[in-house]
């Protein structure tokens, strides 16, 4: 039975109005996503080509599901098929220029054909798609020769060299179209360094020929395009992205929103806190902070604005939460699988356990910032009648089962491939238990098509990130950068940490999560573990955190821009506010570098002490930035709260004690001031009555 009376059935006109509003909201969200997210700028006006691309996409998705079950090819051959299909689909779906996106025909048939306007796919993109397919299939069909001793003795043929150059150029162009210029520029600089690094006065290396560089990047499984990132993409990431797409298409993901609002909606600042929980849950299986911001924000941002939050704060809250979703196990923005490969002594199931504490601390920090902001502005929780019904939610609790199955399967020691398949199978079966989640035949086809399309930007980014990683490894640039940075910092560990943070924020701007991590892990992480006594997992988590936080760090804060587009807020102001809400995310990595016990690299007592002082420090910093602790704080109190919070965060008991003392003094002073004010008000009321 419901706690509330059943509402009257809306009239057909009312139902139509609701449906129309929902459709408009989705259209607005799609427009915002296309403005800020390159991966969403794909062709929709395809004409009869839609059938061709749909068929290729279905085959692409089914092949990956089959390969996960049967493993018909070795990793390199599987990766070449993975990249072959993706490259072709990218050129078919993504135009060369944003101006050509669904551009209407001008009436000049010759010009339209040459430029590529109107329905369908222009002839040059068809050729590029076929060239991308052919160059990767060349690797697949000629695999035996490419790994044989004859190539090592006789070298590569002229045809090999041509295919390698073509393959590298096509990957870079495909990545530019569906991911954006930043990572292509980084890869281009890496390639130029590989070719001309021997002419530099600093960071010099022996130099590589065009043939050695091209064949090393495209015809080798040890690094370059077919290195670890694309192998992990082919084996693991595609399956988990398909799992996330399935949750969306079956409406199982909507349950996360309902659960979040029921748990937190009635407390101070309820809509914003619910947005944090919902985005965290959805972010567990999402691979994009920008896409997550738009998908969740189209629902949560209007609610936050109606509750009284300013538009820029609502946008910043959603962006902060969605960005934090990339830090949440078990998926961690699809970067967890690559990180497990980069830390040899740590298996994937161990990694997701280690990552839980930092991720939860990040969301706790966002919660604290929202709580004090709501206290400052007097925003209360939502009415109980407006929240999802608790009994109905309990009846749908089984919808969490796919996520539970994945986590338990991973913790039991099974492979990520097996865990993803079990999760997909569980979700697929559950979808048939309710009409609202049930897939129709058309819905199933759309699911398979969306599974392929969603993975394309990630695949391209992984391939291009492989170029960066391969070049850095071959030329030894990583070691030289580390030595140069340490020398520049005068050997000061804290200065190096700060400079590595800045490097990760810059390198991560505009990059999707997987490529972001590959680049920062290749260039920045070795600086920490090669030159200082930093545990390997701590170094990788440090660069991972700050690479992700680039999405809410001005000036290129794409997640904040996406949220601002929905909230109709100033994008830069939303970015600065997101930076403030996520301040805990900027403190946590320093703590687990200085106190690795937070990453389970120490004793239980060390971990508990670090946790308590860090949480108290986050309270102080969040309260100081919001201007509210136990009451409104003046400028001096705000400065002392921030300083005390930072002192608490520093993993030294004496320093932390000073910080705690500052917080206690301010708390006592504010309580005393509040009590004095209350007594004064009471006295005035008595005098008025007299």
């Amino acid at each position: 039975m419901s706690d509330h009376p059943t509402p009257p059935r809306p009239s057909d006109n009312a139902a139509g109005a609701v449906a129309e509003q929902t459709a408009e909201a989705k259209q607005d969200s799609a427009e915002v996503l296309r403005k800020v997210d390159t991966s969403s700028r794909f062709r929709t006006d395809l004409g009869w080509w839609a059938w061709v691309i749909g068929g290729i996409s279905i085959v692409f998705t089914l092949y990956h599901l089959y390969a996960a079950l049967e493993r018909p090819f070795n990793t390199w051959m599987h990766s070449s098929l993975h990249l072959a299909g993706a490259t072709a689909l990218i050129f078919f779906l993504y135009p060369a220029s944003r101006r050509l996106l669904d551009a209407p025909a001008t009436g000049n048939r010759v010009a339209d054909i040459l430029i590529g306007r109107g329905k369908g796919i222009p002839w040059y993109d068809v050729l590029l798609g076929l060239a991308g397919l052919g160059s990767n299939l060349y690797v697949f069909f000629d695999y035996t020769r490419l790994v044989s001793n004859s190539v090592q003795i006789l070298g590569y043929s002229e045809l090999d060299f041509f295919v390698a150059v073509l393959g590298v150029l096509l990957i870079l162009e495909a990545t530019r179209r569906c991911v954006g210029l930043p990572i292509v520029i980084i890869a281009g600089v890496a390639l130029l360094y590989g070719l001309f690094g021997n002419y530099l006065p600093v960071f010099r290396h022996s130099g590589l020929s065009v043939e050695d560089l091209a064949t090393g990047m495209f015809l080798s499984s040890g690094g370059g395009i077919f290195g670890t990132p694309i192998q992990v993409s082919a084996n693991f990431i595609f399956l988990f992205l398909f799992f996330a797409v399935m949750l969306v298409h079956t409406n199982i993901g909507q349950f996360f929103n309902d659960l979040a609002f029921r748990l937190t909606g009635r407390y101070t600042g309820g809509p914003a806190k619910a947005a944090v929980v919902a985005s965290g849950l959805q972010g567990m299986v999402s691979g994009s902070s920008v896409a997550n911001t738009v998908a969740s924000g189209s629902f949560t941002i209007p609610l936050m604005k109606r509750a009284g939050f300013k538009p820029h704060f609502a946008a910043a809250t959603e962006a902060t939460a969605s960005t934090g979703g990339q830090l949440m196990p078990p998926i961690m923005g699809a970067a967890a699988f690559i990180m497990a490969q980069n830390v040899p002594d740590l298996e994937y199931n161990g990694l997701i356990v280690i990552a839980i504490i930092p991720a939860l601390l990040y969301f706790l920090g966002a919660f604290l910032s929202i709580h004090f902001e709501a206290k400052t502005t007097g925003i209360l929780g939502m009415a109980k009648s407006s929240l999802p019904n608790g009994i109905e939610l309990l009846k749908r609790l089984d919808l969490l089962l796919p996520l539970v199955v994945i986590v338990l399967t991973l913790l039991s020691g099974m492979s990520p491939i097996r865990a993803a398949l079990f999760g997909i199978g569980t979700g697929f079966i559950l979808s048939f238990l309710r009409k609202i989640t049930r897939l129709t035949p058309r819905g199933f086809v759309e699911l398979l098509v969306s599974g392929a399309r969603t993975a394309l930007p990630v695949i391209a980014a992984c391939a291009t990130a492989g170029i960066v990683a391969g070049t850095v490894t071959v030329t030894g640039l990583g070691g030289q950068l580390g030595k140069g940075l340490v020398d520049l910092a005068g050997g000061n560990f804290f200065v190096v940490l700060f400079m590595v943070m800045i490097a990760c924020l810059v390198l991560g701007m505009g990059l999707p999560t997987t490529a972001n991590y590959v680049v920062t892990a290749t260039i920045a992480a070795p600086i920490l573990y090669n030159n200082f006594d930093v545990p390997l997992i701590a170094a990788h988590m440090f660069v991972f955190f700050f690479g992700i936080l680039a999405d809410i760090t001005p000036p290129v804060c794409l997640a904040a821009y996406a949220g601002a587009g929905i909230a109709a807020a100033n994008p830069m102001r939303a970015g600065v506010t997101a930076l403030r809400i996520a301040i805990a995310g900027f403190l946590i990595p320093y703590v687990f570098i200085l106190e690795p016990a937070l990453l389970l690299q120490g004793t239980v007592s060390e971990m508990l002490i670090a946790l308590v002082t860090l949480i108290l420090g986050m309270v102080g910093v969040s309260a100081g930035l919001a201007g509210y602790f136990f009451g409104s704080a003046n400028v001096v109190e705000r400065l002392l709260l921030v300083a005390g919070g930072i002192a608490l965060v520093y993993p030294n008991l004496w320093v932390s004690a000073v910080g705690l003392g500052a917080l206690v003094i301010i708390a006592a002073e504010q309580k005393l001031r509040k009590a004095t004010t209350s007594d004064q008000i009471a006295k005035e009321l008595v005098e008025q009555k007299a």
Side-chain angles (χ1 to χ4, degrees), residues 294-354:
V294 173
S296 299
S298 59
F299 172 67
T300 60
I301 288 175
L303 280 177
M304 284 188 273
K305 290 173 66 177
R306 284 199 294 271
F309 287 105
K310 293 180 180 178
H312 70 273
F313 190 87
T317 297
E318 182 57 52
T320 301
S322 295
T323 298
Q326 308 304 290
L327 305 172
M328 278 294 289
I331 312 301
M332 296 168 66
F337 312 104
I338 300 176
M339 191 181 297
Q341 304 292 319
N342 289 337
V343 186
D345 296 333
L346 187 65
E347 293 184 357
Y348 174 78
N349 51 6
L351 171 63
I352 62 175
V353 173
I354 287 173

Side-chain angles (χ1 to χ4, degrees), residues 265-271 307 309 374 378-382:
R266 61 192 178 95
Y267 299 106
T268 301
F309 287 105
I379 297 175
L380 303 177
M382 300 168 66

Side-chain angles (χ1 to χ4, degrees), residues 31 33 36 64 70 76 139 149 151 164 166 169 176 273 353 383 393 433 441 450 462 464 498 516 583 602 627 637 689:
E31 289 177 1
L33 200 56
V36 299
H64 281 82
E70 297 295 330
W76 194 12
V139 174
N149 292 330
V151 169
L166 179 65
L169 293 177
R176 183 192 68 82
K273 290 179 177 177
V353 173
L393 281 178
L433 300 183
S450 295
C462 284
T464 302
F498 181 78
N516 187 327
I583 191 64
E637 289 173 338
K689 289 180 179 179

Side-chain angles (χ1 to χ4, degrees), residues 84-103:
T87 308
L89 285 172
I90 288 170
F91 283 113
F92 292 162
L93 281 171
Y94 289 86
S97 169
R98 184 176 178 179
R99 289 177 299 176
L100 295 174
L101 184 64
D102 298 329

